[in-house]
Amino acid sequence: MTAPIIAPLNKDDYDGWLPLWQANMEGTVTPDITASTWARICDPTFPVHGLCARLEKGGPIVGICHFILHPTTGSLKYACYMQDLFVDHSARRRGVGRELVIQLAALGQAAGWARLYWLAEQKNAAAQSLYRDIGIKLDFSLHVLPLG
């Protein structure tokens, strides 16, 4: 099996990105949030970025990864929060998600980030399996206080 091709998302990728974004968000976002998210990803001065995966050169986008760079109190270096990782059902179990995380980590190592971290639903068995193999699970609970 050939490794997926990973590249930064760019403005020309919108048509391939959109169905994956919508599937990942399970219909919970409005068109204005989608437009704003895409504009942020395509703005090199904004701290939100994205990667995409293809199974072959010039092929359709089958995976996306969105990440946010930010300062942190525990280091002078930036931290990276991987906010979204989604692989199209047709491309699952082919190493796409793993390769997106590996390439994101390589970007972070090259740029000198302090760490890469993410959240995953406990009930998502495929994600839990991948993340157990790649990262270190910390024993924290997540609490949210909606403000708007």
Side-chain angles (χ1 to χ4, degrees), residues 54-67:
R54 291 178 166 86
L55 294 177
E56 59 189 24
K57 187 174 181 173
I61 294 173
V62 296
I64 56 173
C65 173
H66 302 141
F67 58 99

Side-chain angles (χ1 to χ4, degrees), residues 69-103:
L69 298 176
H70 64 88
T72 184
T73 59
S75 175
L76 298 176
K77 300 174 181 181
Y78 277 85
C80 177
Y81 173 56
M82 182 175 66
Q83 183 153 10
D84 302 303
L85 180 68
F86 184 81
V87 176
D88 186 74
H89 293 281
S90 68
R92 292 190 179 168
R93 301 191 134 334
R94 298 176 75 176
V96 174
R98 174 181 301 278
E99 193 63 25
L100 280 161
V101 176
I102 288 169
Q103 291 299 317

